[in-house]
Amino acid sequence: MPGMVVFGRRWGIASDDLVFPGTFELFVRVLWWIGTMILFTYHKGNFDCNGGGVLHTFLVGLMVVLALIILSLCATVYVSAQGTITNPGPRRSIPALIYLRAILYIPELVWACLGAMWVSEDSKGCDPATVGAVITAVIASWIILLFTGLGVVFVFDPLGNPRPQHSAMEPLGVRDQQSTEGTQFLSTARSLAVKVWESRLKLLCCCLPQDESHRAAFSSIAQLDTDLVPSDIAAGLALLHQEQDKMEQSRDPDIMVDHSPSSPIGEDLETELDKAAHCMQFAAAAYGWPMYIYSNPLTGPCKLSGDCCRSREAEYDIVGGDHLGCHFSSILQSTGLQYRDFIYVSFHNQIYEIPFYVALDHKREAVLVAVRGTLSLKDVLTDLSAECENLPIEGVLGSCYAHKGMCQAAGYIYKKLVNDGILNQAFSIAPEYKLVITGHSLGAGTASLLAILLRNSFPTLQCYSFSPPGGLLSKALADYSKDFVVSVVLGKDLVPRLSLPNMEDLKRKILKVVSNCNKPKYRILLQGCWYEVFGGDPDDFPTEMDNRREEELSQPLLGEESLMIRHSSSYQSLASDESPAHTATHLPLFLPGRILHITEDGPSCFSQVRYRADWSNEMSFRIVLISPRMLADHMPDAMLRALTS
């Protein structure tokens, strides 16, 4: 934050990221050196086998090389552990130590080749145990060299070079006055970042057709970049989690969360919970056989094995899907519906085009549309197309815009349902039924937007949206949807709190909490891992910035040479909450409809978790809550288990 600069370029790690990898390599090297010393002592004065002179030279040279490597690793680990994230001064010698360590790879490579030659040509007649030990040492050398190369590729930063050079004698104030050049440089760097990430996505998705819609998705996603080193993000998340837990522990337990003004209470809450639990079965079933096997690991394969091999003539339309029919068989098992109850089933999956099915729910007398959540790379790309897209709705006052990817997906399903006459077919069979739309995650966001599109044609429709993304609807559309959409959120689920403004706010908080911590990064990570696994009291670290000078906070946090020579928005935002960088750069987006928040209410008998449900409002999800369960609470089986408990 930013990465350190060695070999004339910026890398994807900082100078305090070498403690753990250095310690691990040091442990391996010390064991290796001890083993080599034992082998040399065992053969001391007895190198009279064929090639014994080469073996003697190899062992002596290997011990010398290992000793030098061990010393360089000790120095690297010690220096890397000094200072703090925001005080890299004690780590100024890290680049020199890295250069030294790189030089030591040359004799190590030479000795690995020498050992390989001795094993292949000169080891005949020598002790088999000795030959085996040398073979092990040679293999270990090549493995370490290979992993070192992979490590270099892993931390390689394609944005690290080129970068503009400034005179060392040029005052910082003079640089700051060159605002035009600074703006132009940041714009160039940002464009370069977008191009690099767009190329990465194209390479990752090389199997997808490169049409216009795919290229637009890649370009949109590529703009979600950050200049933080991954370990800094991990340290910031660990600190932020403990800070949030301290605030939660100090909160008055008697203070209750306000109900949304338009939310029903009392008996209506129980009714909505009952309906939500029923609809969640259909939303989870839309994931097909992967989710069914995941939820039923013991009985699922047996139940599906027979159904997947049967061939039946369907009375419904199925688009795409697996050739064995396991997706549809799992839907039948999960929902309890019959074959004749399905009107249309689509497993077709592309960017902005997600699977869904239409069925007759006789129990609730509803034509039910269930939209699948994220289950493929194409779905991920739809999720990440997070720009705003205009969605004008008749009768809605105010700005109407929504998540681009899900808006496109909802438009795709809308055309299928209306233009292809799928809904007309369903209501011709059951004209007295009402329309219900449901989905989970990506399916939840798409289902909510689909409900908004269909609202004028079907005034009595209802939508149950489970774990929808937080960055979905503008305020006008969110308020409009409260009459017919119910969003259900479990615990500290990350996705309902996921939006571009929330992520910018999270980044700002990470920068702030990291800049105030006076502990080295390795201690933050160790204590954070201990806290996440074993719990305990949150660590006590400074969180206020009263004693920090504003001019200090506006400087790059690490003081190391950076791609961002001038002040980036990340650093500016530390100075003041009213700074220009802290103003919203993205349009605010909200959760759809009324929000039903389910939280743990403590364990009951046999350590089973009890849950409670309360009506909440969209402002309660404007910050990201750090928790080990922030991803687990998003899983469909966890949501279904909570609703049916």
Side-chain angles (χ1 to χ4, degrees):
M1 177 170 49
M4 63 181 176
V5 176
V6 290
F7 299 108
R9 69 174 299 112
R10 172 179 174 262
W11 295 80
I13 58 174
S15 59
D16 52 358
D17 285 335
L18 304 177
V19 176
F20 296 118
T23 302
F24 176 76
E25 186 180 358
L26 180 61
F27 174 74
V28 173
R29 297 287 187 176
V30 169
L31 291 181
W32 191 352
W33 188 87
I34 293 174
T36 305
M37 174 62 73
I38 293 174
L39 185 63
F40 179 80
T41 304
Y42 176 76
H43 285 278
K44 188 175 182 180
N46 189 24
F47 290 97
D48 52 356
C49 65
N50 186 26
V54 178
L55 176 60
H56 180 273
T57 303
F58 173 76
L59 293 177
V60 172
L62 182 59
M63 285 192 296
V64 173
V65 172
L66 286 176
L68 293 175
I69 292 175
I70 288 172
L71 291 176
S72 68
L73 287 173
C74 289
T76 301
V77 171
Y78 175 78
V79 175
S80 182
Q82 303 305 306
T84 64
I85 297 177
T86 57
N87 178 26
R91 301 190 297 272
R92 287 189 298 268
S93 57
I94 281 291
L97 292 172
I98 291 178
Y99 294 140
L100 174 62
R101 182 67 186 89
I103 292 174
L104 290 176
Y105 278 113
I106 298 176
E108 184 177 15
L109 177 61
V110 172
W111 247 249
C113 295
L114 181 64
M117 292 174 57
W118 182 84
V119 169
S120 61
E121 298 178 1
D122 301 329
S123 61
K124 297 179 181 179
C126 293
D127 182 16
T130 302
V131 177
V134 175
I135 292 176
T136 302
V138 171
I139 293 176
S141 296
W142 287 109
I143 289 176
I144 289 180
L145 289 170
L146 174 63
F147 275 95
T148 300
L150 292 176
V152 171
V153 173
F154 183 76
V155 301
F156 178 79
D157 185 357
L159 302 181
N161 198 37
R163 63 185 186 283
Q165 301 291 336
H166 295 274
S167 172
M169 302 302 294
E170 183 181 3
L172 183 61
V174 174
R175 299 181 194 177
D176 292 339
Q177 293 174 3
Q178 301 172 346
S179 58
T180 303
E181 294 182 7
T183 303
Q184 181 179 0
F185 170 71
L186 290 176
S187 176
T188 303
R190 190 175 297 109
S191 300
L192 178 60
V194 170
K195 290 181 180 179
V196 168
W197 278 103
E198 188 172 349
S199 300
R200 288 173 175 174
L201 289 168
K202 288 180 179 178
L203 180 62
L204 182 65
C205 308
C206 57
C207 58
L208 300 182
Q210 302 297 314
D211 56 21
E212 189 62 33
S213 64
H214 287 66
R215 285 192 291 269
F218 294 153
S219 178
S220 173
I221 297 166
Q223 301 183 38
L224 304 177
D225 190 21
T226 176
D227 58 351
L228 296 176
V229 173
S231 60
D232 294 323
I233 298 176
L237 291 175
L239 293 172
L240 192 58
H241 180 205
Q242 297 176 65
E243 181 182 21
Q244 290 177 349
D245 282 357
K246 284 198 303 183
M247 296 176 61
E248 187 173 350
Q249 291 175 6
S250 62
R251 186 177 301 154
D252 188 351
D254 294 332
I255 298 179
M256 299 295 294
V257 178
D258 293 336
H259 294 286
S260 175
S262 60
S263 298
I265 57 175
E267 294 182 358
D268 287 342
L269 177 61
E270 297 295 333
T271 302
E272 295 293 354
L273 278 172
D274 185 47
K275 293 179 180 178
H278 179 74
C279 289
M280 184 60 207
Q281 295 178 356
F282 294 90
Y287 283 96
W289 69 261
M291 181 55 62
Y292 184 77
I293 297 296
Y294 175 80
S295 303
N296 305 275
L298 299 179
T299 61
C302 296
K303 291 182 178 179
L304 290 183
S305 59
D307 291 340
C308 293
C309 298
R310 298 175 186 172
S311 59
R312 298 185 177 92
E313 292 187 5
E315 299 176 1
Y316 44 80
D317 294 326
I318 291 185
V319 179
D322 57 296
H323 67 282
L324 293 178
C326 292
H327 275 311
F328 185 67
S329 296
S330 67
I331 293 177
L332 291 173
Q333 292 284 351
S334 300
T335 60
L337 298 180
Q338 303 298 317
Y339 281 80
R340 61 179 179 272
D341 296 329
F342 288 86
I343 306 299
Y344 184 86
V345 182
S346 172
F347 297 107
H348 170 75
N349 193 199
Q350 289 294 334
I351 297 179
Y352 304 146
E353 300 175 3
I354 57 181
F356 69 99
Y357 66 87
V358 181
L360 299 178
D361 179 13
H362 300 296
K363 182 179 180 180
R364 298 283 179 170
E365 296 186 343
V367 173
L368 192 137
V369 180
V371 187
R372 196 190 76 180
T374 302
L375 197 63
S376 70
L377 178 60
K378 300 166 187 176
D379 297 333
V380 173
L381 295 177
T382 302
D383 283 317
L384 294 178
S385 296
E387 293 182 341
C388 293
E389 180 167 302
N390 288 328
L391 186 66
I393 299 296
E394 183 181 353
V396 180
L397 301 178
S399 300
C400 296
Y401 50 87
H403 183 286
K404 176 182 177 179
M406 297 178 195
C407 195
Q408 295 279 343
Y412 159 77
I413 298 177
Y414 176 86
K415 292 177 182 178
K416 289 287 184 181
L417 295 177
V418 176
N419 296 351
D420 293 357
I422 297 174
L423 288 182
N424 287 337
Q425 179 185 352
F427 283 105
S428 66
I429 299 174
E432 73 281 6
Y433 283 13
K434 61 185 177 182
L435 179 61
V436 176
I437 307 174
T438 188
H440 173 269
S441 189
L442 166 64
T446 304
S448 301
L449 288 165
L450 179 61
I452 291 174
L453 294 175
L454 291 170
R455 168 69 168 174
N456 289 332
S457 301
F458 300 89
T460 61
L461 73 77
Q462 289 182 303
C463 176
Y464 289 89
S465 173
F466 302 96
S467 304
L472 184 65
L473 300 175
S474 65
K475 190 66 169 66
L477 285 178
D479 291 340
Y480 171 70
S481 66
K482 287 182 179 180
D483 291 334
F484 54 93
V485 177
V486 174
S487 292
V488 185
V489 179
L490 176 61
K492 296 184 178 181
D493 187 354
L494 170 65
V495 174
R497 298 172 171 85
L498 207 57
S499 65
L500 291 179
N502 286 9
M503 295 309 295
E504 288 293 333
D505 177 69
L506 177 63
K507 180 179 177 181
R508 184 181 63 86
K509 289 180 178 178
I510 289 176
L511 287 165
K512 178 182 288 188
V513 73
V514 164
S515 69
N516 283 314
C517 188
N518 55 6
K519 294 181 180 179
K521 188 192 295 181
Y522 80 94
R523 286 188 58 190
I524 297 175
L525 294 176
L526 284 176
Q527 293 175 356
C529 289
W530 180 273
Y531 182 78
E532 299 296 343
V533 176
F534 301 104
D537 295 329
D539 191 18
D540 187 17
F541 54 89
T543 58
E544 297 299 331
M545 308 185 70
D546 297 338
N547 298 326
R548 301 294 299 272
R549 292 186 303 161
E550 183 173 317
E551 58 270 20
E552 289 178 347
L553 296 178
S554 64
Q555 305 300 321
L557 289 180
L558 288 182
E560 297 174 339
E561 196 172 0
S562 167
L563 174 69
M564 301 302 180
I565 300 296
R566 296 172 180 82
H567 305 164
S568 71
S569 61
S570 301
Y571 303 134
Q572 289 174 351
S573 64
L574 285 170
S576 171
D577 287 348
E578 287 75 33
S579 63
H582 183 54
T583 59
T585 57
H586 302 285
L587 296 174
L589 295 171
F590 302 89
L591 287 169
R594 295 171 289 149
I595 303 171
L596 191 58
H597 191 198
I598 302 175
T599 55
E600 292 186 5
D601 198 26
S604 60
C605 299
F606 308 106
S607 299
Q608 293 180 349
V609 179
R610 295 196 309 268
Y611 295 93
R612 61 171 295 164
D614 297 288
W615 291 106
S616 185
N617 58 69
E618 62 271 14
M619 300 311 297
S620 301
F621 300 89
R622 301 302 292 166
I623 62 172
V624 176
L625 298 181
I626 311 302
S627 169
R629 294 200 55 83
M630 60 195 300
L631 297 179
D633 284 344
H634 185 67
M635 295 299 293
D637 62 315
M639 173 67 75
L640 185 59
R641 185 168 54 250
L643 283 169
T644 56
S645 67

